[in-house]
Amino acid sequence: MAQYKDYTVIYENNRGNRVVLTEHPYYINIEPLLDYSWAYTTRDRRRGSRIAGFNKGVASANLTIHVLAETVAERNSAIDALNNAIETDIYDGKPGKIWFNDWFTYGYIISAKNSKWQYGVGAVRKEVSFVREEETWFHVIKRSSYYYNDESESGYEYISGLKDYELDEDTGLEGYDYLFDYGEDKISAVSIVNPNPLGCNFIIDISGPVNNPNLRIGDTYIIVNVEVPDGAFLRIDSTDKTIILHYADNTALNAFGARDPDYYIFKLIDSGENAIIWDGSFVWDLQMIEERSEPRWLME
């Protein structure tokens, strides 16, 4: 059996323990996991039925994992390591991940059939069923404010000498329309590109100290009227619609009610290039979460 050279497959359980399934002694056939199917509902019309909508339900994929070791002892150790990772997710009731290069999908391995092991050699064939609540692959694109003034970092740019002004219909003045008066040399900007044709979810961590942090990602406004002390961070997560202030002592505060009600803080990041604008007085880390039915085949 030939080893694949152009991609890496990893099983990672919910506790972060990893098993690389494309490195000796593991070999995996990942192809079934790249298949997907949309379910659909219909409605009747006078001229026949029409599709009313689409959704994805629970789905499973049958994967074959070969363990080809030099000795029986090495084989047994490899199988135990994989089983330990798998069983942890079942008993914790939390899904693990299968990584395909930089893409991952959530699910559980719920069954296994072992064969070709009884001949006293360092081999076993393990056929497993991987169940997902949704046939979706995820890819995280990261940006950070730490490098906003580093011109060597591709995609980052420091913008100086900009004043805050609004669009004026009478004068025809065009420019950025900021929520706050930043003044001269107080606007910082980077950009992030969403390669998806649809909007992306995001998670952003804003580190203290900062009072009432605000920033803009394209047309998504992040404005929370709360004090973030030194050593704490504020996490805004559009995937589960939460705003949590995490303190240095590991306590947490639900800050959902402190969001600015005039803007939908969980608006997805638009497709294409999005400028990230803030006043430069605080630092942040952004994860933009790309979602697709199968991983992108062409990665830059």
Side-chain angles (χ1 to χ4, degrees):
M1 177 181 295
Q3 172 70 305
Y4 295 103
K5 300 297 184 182
D6 56 347
Y7 63 82
T8 300
V9 177
I10 298 172
Y11 186 88
E12 179 182 3
N13 69 13
N14 75 91
R15 300 183 186 182
N17 299 320
R18 290 184 159 203
V19 178
V20 182
L21 298 176
T22 46
E23 289 184 359
H24 179 80
Y26 303 101
Y27 303 82
I28 184 172
N29 176 18
I30 194 67
E31 289 183 357
L33 205 54
L34 272 63
D35 300 335
Y36 68 92
S37 177
W38 285 91
Y40 60 89
T41 57
T42 61
R43 62 174 179 266
D44 293 331
R45 292 184 174 181
R46 179 175 298 178
R47 295 185 178 181
S49 298
R50 296 290 187 271
I51 293 177
F54 295 91
N55 63 82
K56 289 180 179 178
V58 174
S60 64
N62 296 320
L63 309 175
T64 301
I65 302 172
H66 291 267
V67 178
L68 303 177
E70 300 295 331
T71 65
V72 172
E74 182 187 0
R75 179 202 68 184
N76 293 346
S77 177
I79 295 172
D80 284 346
L82 178 59
N83 288 342
N84 288 344
I86 293 170
E87 292 285 277
T88 298
D89 295 330
I90 297 295
Y91 286 102
D92 287 350
K94 298 178 181 179
K97 299 176 184 176
I98 287 185
W99 289 84
F100 182 81
N101 288 338
D102 293 332
W103 292 78
F104 62 91
T105 186
Y106 292 100
Y108 300 87
I109 291 179
I110 63 167
S111 67
K113 294 181 180 180
N114 299 297
S115 60
K116 310 298 183 183
W117 58 268
Q118 69 270 31
Y119 303 112
V121 296
V124 66
R125 173 177 174 151
K126 197 176 191 71
E127 298 179 49
V128 303
S129 179
F130 184 74
V131 174
R132 298 187 282 175
E133 294 180 350
E134 183 180 358
E135 291 178 309
T136 300
W137 287 88
F138 303 91
H139 176 242
V140 176
I141 300 173
K142 297 180 180 181
R143 285 292 182 269
S144 172
S145 62
Y146 286 106
Y147 304 105
Y148 75 89
N149 60 352
D150 183 358
E151 296 181 357
S152 65
E153 183 76 14
S154 176
Y156 291 93
E157 179 183 3
Y158 178 67
I159 300 178
S160 62
L162 296 179
K163 293 182 178 180
D164 179 69
Y165 51 86
E166 297 181 357
L167 299 177
D168 191 321
E169 294 181 357
D170 295 330
T171 64
L173 181 65
E174 295 182 355
Y176 291 105
D177 180 16
Y178 301 116
L179 297 177
F180 300 90
D181 293 327
Y182 293 140
E184 286 278 351
D185 300 322
K186 291 186 179 179
I187 296 174
S188 299
V190 302
S191 66
I192 189 168
V193 176
N194 173 8
N196 245 11
L198 304 176
C200 282
N201 277 299
F202 64 89
I203 299 173
I204 187 166
D205 291 337
I206 297 173
S207 299
V210 58
N211 289 322
N212 305 328
N214 68 88
L215 75 159
R216 176 179 171 181
I217 309 169
D219 290 330
T220 300
Y221 291 88
I222 309 295
I223 307 169
V224 186
N225 298 312
V226 69
E227 179 184 357
V228 185
D230 190 18
F233 70 92
L234 180 70
R235 170 164 293 182
I236 299 97
D237 187 340
S238 74
T239 62
D240 58 11
K241 308 297 187 291
T242 57
I243 306 171
I244 305 295
L245 179 57
H246 297 267
Y247 291 100
D249 62 0
N250 293 323
T251 60
L253 173 70
N254 185 350
F256 185 84
R259 72 196 188 284
D260 190 321
D262 293 333
Y263 298 90
Y264 183 53
I265 196 171
F266 303 121
K267 181 183 180 299
L268 301 183
I269 298 175
D270 291 333
S271 178
E273 186 169 11
N274 293 264
I276 305 175
I277 309 296
W278 81 109
D279 67 2
S281 67
F282 58 91
V283 296
W284 48 264
D285 290 284
L286 172 66
Q287 300 179 66
M288 184 176 66
I289 305 166
E290 187 179 357
E291 301 180 24
R292 297 175 70 96
S293 295
E294 59 185 75
R296 278 191 287 122
W297 288 73
L298 179 63
M299 296 288 290
E300 297 179 354

